[in-house]
Amino acid sequence: MANAHVHPETQEERLIEEHGYDDHFHEHHHGDKFQSNFLTTYIFSQDHKIIARQFLITGMIWAIIGGLMSLVFRLQLGFPDESLAWLKPVLGKWITVSEAGVGTLSQEFYYALVTMHGTIIVFFVLTAGLSGTFSNLLIPLQVGARDMASPFLNMLSYWFFFLASVVMFASLFLSTGPFAGGWTAYPPLSALPQASDGSGTGMTLWIISLVFFVVSVLLGGINYITTVLNLRTKGMSMWRMPLTIWAFFVTAILGLLSFPVLASGFFLLMFDRGLGTSFYLSEIFIGGQALDHVGGSPILYQHLFWFLGHPEVYIIILPAMGIVSEVLSVHARKAIFGYKAMVYSILAIGFLSFIVWAHHMFMSGVNPFISNFFVIFTLIIAVPSAVKVFNWITTLYKGNIRFTAASLFAIGFVSMFISGGLTGIFLGNSAIDIQMHDTYFVVAHFHIVMGVAAFFGMFAGVYHWFPKMFGRFMNETLGKIHFWITMVGAYAIFWPMHYLGMAGVPRRYYRFDTFETFRHFAEMNKFITVAAVIVFAAQLLLVINFFYSIWKGKKMTNPNPWGASTLEWTTPINVGHGNWTGKIPAVQRWPYDYGKDGREFIPQIEPLKDGESDGGH
Amino acid sequence: MTSNASVAKTNTRNKIHPHKFALWAACAGIVMMFASLTSAYLVRQAAGNWLEFRLPEIFFASTAAIVASSLTLHGSYLAFMRGNAGLYRGLMVATVILGLTFLVLQYEGWQALVDIGVPLKTNPSGDFIYVISGLHAAHVLGGIGVLTVALLHAFMLEYKVTANRKVRFELTLTYWHFVDALWVYLLVFFILSA
């Protein structure tokens, strides 16, 4: 593969040889030097494509763990009187079996499950597993670079994530249990080791794990930003970048500017925990004993946390939006509608995400006049979001849609984003929030708009780029079954929760049958639990399909199976380190020339014909 | 590492080296970290129960040390570029010494805080100084690590201005100026907000 003189065989290779940019990459053999044995090729790899796969598979393992946790607490909520004794072999002492043989879930561990489910899915699956995977895979391939700006730091980024994973995983097996104070880790539960079982060693490991995670995000993000700005190939102007790249780029900026703030918040938390300072801790009694903490402000932590926390939800959803834009356009065989509006709306969402954080704190005692400011900016986010939804729908309109598993999930994303986005308008109002806050309405809202929607974006990306990652296809039929069960099932889980929330059912409660007010929701809770079990089972189809197809899937014969115009499909089927065997392709046009001049698609590397316009790109 | 440097460089037709840009991006992240801490300081201060005290003067001495170290490192860089190998090495040694002096003086500053009756846990006003200056010192310590590598290069490698060494020196220089400017900001902040 280190052959600088390729004999062009296909039209694409000919175009790259003719117009491409010769960086003399293969004369130096850099790509191969560091891929010489198994360890450097598959474990400590510096190739962005391997690192992407590492992020994806680690994310999948975490998704299974996080998903299983939700099943355990859903069983508790749906069937509070049923025996959970059969879980004893797995959960051990967290299940108490009575003399009659009825197993009950420990209340403490219920909170640990809820906390870990949130932490794992938000950070490890939808941040690392989503933007870690696809930023790594697609940024160098789609901007036309050999690799990231610093492949070494990129490798470190994965291994810091791995370290964070190991520490968090270890915390699951502590005798005092993992942290149990909610994924937001508000003080005092997070600041006082004696506050609850999980607040001791469990919280210490939680915070160590997340500090490693922040390092991972920053190392990755710095690389993504630098690569996008500095390593674009000849002709790849910013306005010719695919929307995936725009989304990953803005995501990385959000991460770079918000994760350090979380680190600051954690830093003060560590001082409160370990050294007895009072940044967050006010006059407080535990077991009748007054502690010597005076004058701290728990609200300060909430400000620091949500200054990350709100951009974080866009760190999760923007990559999904980018993937969906690309997948919809390719599979509708139409140019994305309103490309520039899409870019501006990504930028607007990115900017607004920094000035809305206090809408998570309307009921925390924030000044109501300040709340007004946050209400207005929160509602303004509906504008760029609506622009994006409009453009996705108009992209589909009169398209020649191929209903593949990838495009189905992309369409499903749009549906989820609309449903979940609309309830955001309810919650963004501080007055309505008085009724809705901390209820299942909030749970329904964010699970649909950033949980399920982001997963859909991720699934669309996995089905679409699987051939690029492994040189084989996933099974389409299994993929479609996976889609339909997930689509219907996800609504079945989360739609009813809106009603629970409007009736005031609070989130994070251990059981509801003990409250007269909520008893009539027992059947609904059963329904939700059954739906959750079915949806989880459907995800196993994806896991089986994924791993089976890596080794046994249908082999790729055409390097550009979807007929896409972006650069990643101009690389050979089995891509080595360095991505292109000869020159780097030069870009001649924007990435969405579909159905132009009677042709199905025109690759980005094909020069403009005489008199042909590139629409201002 | 060296081969990766070339992966980035051979691909570049840019005005700024990708590694330099990455360093600036990293600095932006660090700025956010300290901006949030100083914001937290102001928010907490406005909430009352805030102990007022004079910042120990030793912090001015440490400031002088780190500002001087920035100047010596810049001098060392200019000497490196102009071919004055002796001056380049000498000023590099001076920079490392001044950098270490800064850290020692910061430690003395924390001791001085204890002496005037503001040890840790007295009041958040003092605790913030420990946390913020401590976190800054950690970043300076990282800078000392980088400077040590630069020092080893200065004395163990044959003196030669290559593109690679120039970039590496400029990265060191940028980071060191950055932690210097960051401290000056923090000192001014502590004085003005007290």
Side-chain angles (χ1 to χ4, degrees):
Chain A
M1 86 133 250
N3 181 3
H5 307 286
V6 184
H7 300 292
E9 287 168 13
T10 62
Q11 167 79 355
E12 276 79 16
E13 284 173 8
R14 194 183 57 72
L15 283 169
I16 293 175
E17 275 309 296
E18 198 173 311
H19 302 281
Y21 165 69
D22 192 1
D23 62 349
H24 307 284
F25 177 75
H26 294 289
E27 290 159 31
H28 300 289
H29 301 283
H30 293 306
D32 312 292
K33 195 167 144 192
F34 280 80
Q35 308 267 315
S36 50
N37 59 40
F38 179 81
L39 208 63
T40 48
T41 308
Y42 292 106
I43 312 293
F44 295 105
S45 174
Q46 299 190 15
D47 181 351
H48 69 101
K49 298 183 292 298
I50 297 281
I51 295 171
R53 280 171 264 190
Q54 291 174 326
F55 268 109
L56 179 59
I57 291 170
T58 315
M60 281 172 81
I61 293 169
W62 274 120
I64 294 167
I65 296 171
L68 282 173
M69 286 174 166
S70 73
L71 290 195
V72 176
F73 63 71
R74 268 323 308 180
L75 285 174
Q76 163 64 28
L77 290 171
F79 304 94
D81 295 323
E82 294 289 318
S83 171
L84 289 174
W86 57 278
L87 277 171
K88 180 98 182 157
V90 186
L91 296 183
K93 71 168 189 169
W94 305 114
I95 302 275
T96 328
V97 183
S98 70
E99 281 179 22
V102 178
T104 37
L105 180 68
S106 140
Q107 302 184 5
E108 184 65 33
F109 196 64
Y110 174 86
Y111 291 114
L113 286 173
V114 178
T115 304
M116 284 297 123
H117 170 77
T119 307
I120 288 169
I121 303 285
V122 166
F123 290 115
F124 292 175
V125 181
L126 294 179
T127 304
L130 179 55
S131 98
T133 302
F134 289 102
S135 300
N136 263 306
L137 179 72
L138 293 177
I139 289 177
L141 281 172
Q142 288 194 332
V143 303
R146 295 289 184 194
D147 204 316
M148 289 286 178
S150 172
F152 179 73
L153 291 185
N154 205 30
M155 174 184 77
L156 281 187
S157 159
Y158 173 74
W159 286 103
F160 268 103
F161 169 47
F162 186 81
L163 208 56
S165 293
V166 169
V167 174
M168 192 65 83
F169 193 69
S171 87
L172 302 179
F173 299 97
L174 292 170
S175 68
T176 45
F179 181 54
W183 80 277
T184 50
Y186 281 179
L189 280 179
S190 60
L192 292 168
Q194 65 272 45
S196 75
D197 283 351
S199 301
T201 317
M203 179 60 195
T204 305
L205 293 188
W206 190 92
I207 206 167
I208 291 172
S209 169
L210 280 193
V211 168
F212 285 141
F213 186 78
V214 170
V215 174
S216 161
V217 171
L218 295 178
L219 290 175
I222 288 170
N223 248 321
Y224 307 155
I225 297 170
T226 310
T227 308
V228 169
L229 287 181
N230 289 277
L231 299 186
R232 295 193 313 279
T233 186
K234 200 169 120 190
M236 178 63 89
S237 64
M238 294 295 272
W239 287 117
R240 280 178 175 172
M241 295 198 309
L243 288 170
T244 37
I245 301 302
W246 271 108
F248 301 145
F249 173 59
V250 175
T251 300
I253 294 175
L254 296 187
L256 178 65
L257 298 182
S258 64
F259 270 100
V261 178
L262 182 72
S264 301
F266 284 165
F267 203 61
L268 298 180
L269 189 59
M270 284 186 227
F271 265 74
D272 274 8
R273 278 176 69 77
L275 299 171
T277 54
S278 304
F279 293 111
Y280 303 136
L281 291 165
S282 191
E283 295 75 356
I284 199 161
F285 288 81
I286 284 196
Q289 285 300 105
L291 303 183
D292 60 357
H293 293 284
V294 176
S297 161
I299 304 287
L300 178 61
Y301 175 85
Q302 298 188 18
H303 279 296
L304 291 172
F305 182 86
W306 287 113
F307 189 85
L308 155 92
H310 200 78
E312 169 66 15
V313 306
Y314 293 99
I315 289 169
I316 287 173
I317 205 69
L318 283 177
M321 287 175 162
I323 289 169
V324 164
S325 305
E326 176 72 19
V327 169
L328 278 184
S329 178
V330 172
H331 292 275
R333 313 311 289 151
K334 265 186 74 192
I336 192 84
F337 186 89
Y339 170 85
K340 285 198 175 175
M342 286 303 231
V343 173
Y344 286 125
S345 58
I346 290 174
L347 294 171
I349 289 173
F351 172 73
L352 288 170
S353 75
F354 279 106
I355 48 173
V356 297
W357 78 89
H359 68 214
H360 297 271
M361 302 161 56
F362 285 151
M363 298 305 292
S364 301
V366 172
N367 185 329
F369 293 105
I370 293 176
S371 288
N372 283 343
F373 169 89
F374 287 102
V375 169
I376 289 166
F377 284 110
T378 302
L379 297 185
I380 289 177
I381 294 190
V383 177
S385 304
V387 167
K388 296 195 81 70
V389 169
F390 179 84
N391 287 352
W392 286 320
I393 294 173
T394 36
T395 301
L396 290 171
Y397 179 68
K398 287 192 172 173
N400 191 6
I401 306 171
R402 297 186 302 214
F403 289 103
T404 57
S407 70
L408 285 172
F409 271 111
I411 297 167
F413 169 94
V414 180
S415 163
M416 288 292 166
F417 187 70
I418 295 172
S419 313
L422 288 175
T423 52
I425 299 175
F426 290 59
L427 292 169
N429 282 287
S430 55
I432 303 176
D433 198 53
I434 295 170
Q435 165 72 7
M436 300 296 195
H437 88 281
D438 259 350
T439 68
Y440 268 83
F441 195 88
V442 180
V443 177
H445 161 70
F446 74 74
H447 273 90
I448 291 182
V449 79
M450 60 169 262
V452 179
F455 265 107
F456 274 34
M458 194 169 168
F459 294 152
V462 169
Y463 284 108
H464 185 81
W465 280 288
F466 188 87
K468 191 75 268 168
M469 283 192 249
F470 298 102
R472 289 169 187 269
F473 291 93
M474 287 175 81
N475 183 300
E476 271 293 313
T477 315
L478 271 181
K480 283 175 191 163
I481 297 171
H482 171 220
F483 168 75
W484 284 109
I485 300 179
T486 311
M487 179 77 190
V488 176
Y491 273 126
I493 297 170
F494 297 111
W495 198 273
M497 288 188 186
H498 292 104
Y499 300 107
L500 296 177
M502 281 189 271
V505 179
R507 59 193 286 207
R508 288 178 174 149
Y509 275 32
Y510 172 71
R511 63 194 300 169
F512 294 110
D513 57 337
T514 42
F515 296 87
E516 190 58 46
T517 335
F518 304 136
R519 208 162 283 166
H520 63 286
F521 288 123
E523 294 303 311
M524 195 182 261
N525 267 320
K526 269 185 201 149
F527 174 81
I528 293 173
T529 300
V530 171
V533 172
I534 294 172
V535 169
F536 183 83
Q539 305 318 304
L540 298 180
L541 291 181
L542 171 80
V543 176
I544 294 164
N545 196 351
F546 184 85
F547 287 104
Y548 179 83
S549 303
I550 290 179
W551 290 284
K552 302 276 177 166
K554 194 179 84 187
K555 271 195 173 167
M556 218 172 140
T557 47
N558 173 0
N560 188 359
W562 310 121
S565 53
T566 39
L567 290 181
E568 77 272 27
W569 304 105
T570 63
T571 58
I573 291 173
N574 293 310
V575 198
H577 197 189
N579 296 341
W580 286 272
T581 44
K583 295 177 177 176
I584 294 183
V587 166
Q588 315 284 350
R589 57 179 71 232
W590 79 317
Y592 296 105
D593 267 343
Y594 293 100
K596 192 180 182 188
D597 300 339
R599 289 174 61 188
E600 209 183 334
F601 73 100
I602 308 175
Q604 271 193 286
I605 51 175
E606 188 169 312
L608 296 169
K609 286 200 287 286
D610 283 342
E612 186 185 359
S613 126
D614 193 26
H617 296 282
Chain B
M1 260 319 272
T2 45
S3 90
N4 296 313
S6 3
V7 171
K9 204 172 64 216
T10 47
N11 203 356
T12 306
R13 296 164 293 102
N14 302 293
K15 296 193 180 71
I16 180 165
H17 189 282
H19 291 175
K20 281 191 201 165
F21 183 86
L23 179 62
W24 283 111
C27 290
I30 298 172
V31 164
M32 284 307 288
M33 198 166 176
F34 283 92
S36 62
L37 283 171
T38 47
S39 308
Y41 179 104
L42 293 175
V43 169
R44 179 59 193 78
Q45 186 181 37
N49 182 16
W50 187 261
L51 182 74
E52 298 282 348
F53 60 88
R54 262 176 81 96
L55 202 63
E57 267 145 24
I58 192 118
F59 285 114
F60 295 102
S62 69
T63 310
I66 199 166
V67 171
S69 76
S70 241
L71 295 176
T72 52
L73 189 63
H74 209 96
S76 172
Y77 171 71
L78 293 177
F80 170 75
M81 293 303 288
R82 285 175 192 157
N84 190 340
L87 192 60
Y88 152 57
R89 290 184 177 128
L91 285 174
M92 184 67 85
V93 175
T95 309
V96 175
I97 292 172
L98 283 167
L100 290 169
T101 309
F102 171 78
L103 287 178
V104 172
L105 288 174
Q106 291 297 84
Y107 181 76
E108 293 292 324
W110 299 328
Q111 293 298 323
L113 275 172
V114 174
D115 292 343
I116 60 169
V118 197
L120 199 68
K121 290 170 72 171
T122 311
N123 187 279
S125 66
D127 296 347
F128 266 113
I129 307 250
Y130 288 107
V131 169
I132 295 174
S133 62
L135 197 57
H136 175 263
H139 284 85
V140 171
L141 202 60
I144 296 277
V146 175
L147 278 180
T148 310
V149 175
L151 191 70
L152 289 176
H153 281 165
F155 283 92
M156 293 174 72
L157 299 181
E158 189 194 342
Y159 172 78
K160 210 165 108 189
V161 181
T162 65
N164 237 342
R165 285 179 71 178
K166 181 168 169 275
V167 167
R168 208 174 282 159
F169 201 151
E170 284 166 357
L171 290 171
T172 308
L173 185 67
T174 305
Y175 183 72
W176 193 254
H177 282 330
F178 170 72
V179 289
D180 174 20
L182 185 61
W183 174 252
V184 173
Y185 157 72
L186 291 172
L187 184 82
V188 171
F189 173 84
F190 288 143
I191 292 168
L192 291 183
S193 61

